[in-house]
Amino acid sequence: MARISSGGLGMGDVRLAGLRGLYLGWLGWPVVVAGFFLGCLLQAVVGLTLLAARRVDRRTGLPFGPALLGGALAAALLAGDWVLLLP
């Protein structure tokens, strides 16, 4: 992820993406891809909403971590494989 976005992501976001990928990897590659896509989609919706409300401008940095976690949660819920959480 650090190579894809040159300077757009902080190292905390990159580390979080790695940990999120490890967890979603247990559920399968399609879930990993869906989690990444849903996280980017969520960040785009939040960013466009803030731009429309004039709370931020194009140069304002927005944290990507919450969107990564939200995308991972949505992908895991959509996958329906919660075997890891059962005792």
Side-chain angles (χ1 to χ4, degrees):
M1 281 190 67
R3 292 183 190 259
I4 293 172
S5 175
S6 59
L9 288 177
M11 286 308 294
D13 293 333
V14 173
R15 285 187 216 120
L16 179 63
L19 290 174
R20 179 193 56 91
L22 282 173
Y23 173 71
L24 292 180
W26 285 104
L27 302 176
W29 278 106
V31 182
V32 174
V33 173
F36 179 71
F37 176 74
L38 290 172
C40 290
L41 183 67
L42 179 63
Q43 184 68 14
V45 169
V46 169
L48 289 174
T49 302
L50 290 173
L51 279 171
R54 298 181 188 242
R55 297 281 189 183
V56 297
D57 61 3
R58 290 184 344 169
R59 289 180 232 117
T60 304
L62 296 175
F64 194 49
L68 281 175
L69 292 175
L73 179 63
L77 288 174
L78 290 174
D81 293 332
W82 285 92
V83 178
L84 296 176
L85 294 179
L86 298 176

